[in-house]
Amino acid sequence: MTEEPKPRRLTPKGRATRDRIIEAATELIARNGVAGTGIEDVRAAAGVSGSQLYHYFDSKQALIRAVITRQADSVLHPDQPRVTALDSFDALRAWADAAIERQRENGCRGDCTLGSLAGELSVSDEESRTDLATGFLRWKDLILDGLRAMRDRGGLRADADLDELALSLLTALQGGVLLSQTMLHVRPLEAAMNASLAYVHSFATTAGR
Amino acid sequence: MTEEPKPRRLTPKGRATRDRIIEAATELIARNGVAGTGIEDVRAAAGVSGSQLYHYFDSKQALIRAVITRQADSVLHPDQPRVTALDSFDALRAWADAAIERQRENGCRGDCTLGSLAGELSVSDEESRTDLATGFLRWKDLILDGLRAMRDRGGLRADADLDELALSLLTALQGGVLLSQTMLHVRPLEAAMNASLAYVHSFATTAGR
């Protein structure tokens, strides 16, 4: 993330307006994709004037980058408590179940994930690709922190490749959501999470099982 | 797949022209995404006239559907022999290694996969979503055929949920390629394939190991 306009020096009201614009953009992109979302649609959905919108985002590209950052941040958001401490097999299972339940609730539609953004943006837009890669790395590091804590407590074998385990969990989540949203069924996500959780579990110590 | 113009009644020359157009579109989409690929770009890259192109594809949508079908078909293509019989642990490992090697060779760039097409098209385009879901199902069934053969030979336990195993392998491949293309590194794909292959292997019988 290099030049995204930062919300520094914003008044509380300005920050709320900026957040409302990003939220409206995220919802529209979830329904219509990036290509199907025009800046005028975002303006209308957020209920702001054109000059207000351009005050915060001088281009669609800047707005898309803010959406990517928001989605990458969401993993750390306080309303997702299960995601903040993935440091036990139970916590990992609960995290997977929450993701599966979320897809089930919304009929596998209408989620604006880093994975679907990556499918749309990574090949064609180098700036967005970089932002998305940064977002994926932050998720991976969060998962890695939990796995390290598990290993340090003696629950995972010392020779486990924690980086690989973290990547397999992240890939299962993103790939699983992508296939579930395409096939309109929660089974691909369930299968992917079961496989990656079993892989992590195969490195459990006797004490950790 | 409901109304895609079929290449029936085409002369060999007509079929070659149609194939050349689809191939040019696939290559451009791999580089620039669907949104970044115009029908005029495809026409120029394929070296055909506008009336030739419209003879085979009356809209960009029709062309995109043909690209999706081509990419779904590629799994069965004779130049991918490793993919046609995924009926042993060695064959599954060779299939994973071939996918990993392919990403390594092209620097994790420039692949037009069903997964990246799904990220771009599934949320916004119901016809494409249906085609992509059909494509994923065909891949899954191909993998499933191999797993059934393994079970019937006594290599996989009778209680293994083969449908789940097939979905986990497919999701690992698609999610892994998507994250590898975003992070420009082959590690996410390697991690995802290792995890899903280990999951399949955890259902091996003593004889199958």
Side-chain angles (χ1 to χ4, degrees):
Chain A
M1 313 213 195
T2 48
E3 292 176 63
E4 192 213 325
K6 289 283 178 236
R8 62 188 170 209
R9 288 174 169 280
L10 288 185
T11 62
K13 196 178 161 200
R15 183 183 293 267
T17 304
R18 185 178 183 278
D19 286 348
R20 198 163 75 242
I21 295 168
I22 299 173
E23 194 167 331
T26 306
E27 283 173 19
L28 286 169
I29 289 170
R31 281 211 299 276
N32 306 318
V34 173
T37 299
I39 205 146
E40 171 58 25
D41 307 323
V42 175
R43 189 203 60 70
V48 297
S49 69
S51 65
Q52 272 180 304
L53 193 146
Y54 280 97
H55 175 69
Y56 298 104
F57 303 102
D58 60 5
S59 65
K60 181 174 172 182
Q61 171 74 11
L63 182 55
I64 300 304
R65 300 188 77 186
V67 170
I68 293 171
T69 303
R70 177 187 196 267
Q71 296 309 87
D73 284 345
S74 69
V75 69
L76 299 161
H77 201 272
D79 72 6
Q80 302 204 353
R82 283 171 178 161
V83 184
T84 54
L86 298 172
D87 58 357
S88 70
F89 289 113
D90 285 348
L92 286 169
R93 185 70 250 181
W95 169 66
D97 287 344
I100 292 164
E101 189 52 33
R102 183 182 165 90
Q103 291 304 312
R104 203 189 307 273
E105 274 171 8
N106 64 19
C108 300
R109 288 196 189 261
D111 234 5
C112 174
T113 65
L114 291 187
S116 57
L117 290 168
E120 181 159 4
L121 296 170
S122 281
V123 286
S124 56
D125 176 346
E126 184 60 21
E127 267 194 354
S128 295
R129 188 201 60 71
T130 309
D131 286 351
L132 286 160
T134 305
F136 283 141
L137 272 178
R138 288 173 60 200
W139 278 70
K140 193 206 71 176
D141 285 344
L142 188 83
I143 300 169
L144 193 55
D145 285 346
L147 296 175
R148 276 206 198 95
M150 290 167 74
R151 185 194 55 196
D152 294 349
R153 284 202 315 271
L156 281 173
R157 280 170 17 211
D159 68 335
D161 182 341
L162 300 187
D163 197 74
E164 172 158 299
L165 296 183
L167 276 174
S168 78
L169 288 164
L170 176 63
T171 304
L173 178 69
Q174 300 291 335
V177 169
L178 184 66
L179 264 71
S180 283
Q181 292 191 338
T182 303
M183 300 172 85
L184 295 188
H185 203 288
V186 80
R187 285 272 292 164
L189 178 60
E190 283 179 331
M193 296 316 296
N194 285 345
S196 61
L197 288 171
Y199 190 52
V200 176
H201 205 261
S202 73
F203 291 94
T205 59
T206 317
R209 281 176 207 275
Chain B
M1 307 205 207
T2 47
E3 293 175 65
E4 191 212 327
K6 291 282 179 239
R8 62 189 169 208
R9 289 174 169 279
L10 289 184
T11 62
K13 196 177 160 197
R15 182 183 292 269
T17 304
R18 185 177 182 277
D19 287 349
R20 197 162 77 242
I21 295 168
I22 299 173
E23 193 166 334
T26 306
E27 282 173 20
L28 286 168
I29 289 170
R31 281 211 299 276
N32 306 318
V34 173
T37 298
I39 206 147
E40 171 58 26
D41 307 323
V42 175
R43 190 203 59 70
V48 297
S49 68
S51 63
Q52 272 180 303
L53 193 145
Y54 280 97
H55 175 69
Y56 298 104
F57 303 102
D58 60 5
S59 65
K60 182 174 170 182
Q61 172 74 10
L63 183 54
I64 300 304
R65 299 188 77 185
V67 169
I68 292 171
T69 303
R70 177 187 196 267
Q71 295 310 86
D73 284 344
S74 69
V75 69
L76 298 161
H77 201 271
D79 71 5
Q80 301 203 356
R82 283 171 177 160
V83 185
T84 54
L86 297 171
D87 57 358
S88 69
F89 289 113
D90 284 348
L92 287 168
R93 184 71 249 179
W95 170 66
D97 287 344
I100 292 163
E101 188 52 33
R102 185 182 164 92
Q103 291 303 312
R104 203 190 307 274
E105 274 172 8
N106 65 18
C108 299
R109 287 194 190 262
D111 235 4
C112 173
T113 64
L114 291 186
S116 57
L117 289 169
E120 181 159 4
L121 297 170
S122 282
V123 287
S124 55
D125 177 344
E126 184 61 20
E127 268 194 354
S128 294
R129 187 202 61 70
T130 308
D131 286 351
L132 286 160
T134 305
F136 283 142
L137 272 179
R138 287 173 60 200
W139 278 70
K140 192 205 74 176
D141 286 343
L142 188 83
I143 300 169
L144 193 55
D145 285 345
L147 296 176
R148 276 206 198 97
M150 290 167 73
R151 185 194 56 194
D152 294 348
R153 284 202 315 271
L156 282 173
R157 280 173 13 213
D159 67 336
D161 182 342
L162 301 188
D163 197 73
E164 171 158 300
L165 296 184
L167 275 174
S168 78
L169 288 164
L170 177 63
T171 305
L173 178 70
Q174 300 292 335
V177 168
L178 184 66
L179 263 71
S180 283
Q181 291 191 340
T182 303
M183 301 172 85
L184 295 188
H185 203 289
V186 81
R187 284 273 291 164
L189 178 60
E190 283 179 330
M193 296 316 296
N194 285 345
S196 61
L197 288 171
Y199 189 52
V200 176
H201 205 261
S202 72
F203 291 93
T205 59
T206 317
R209 282 175 206 278

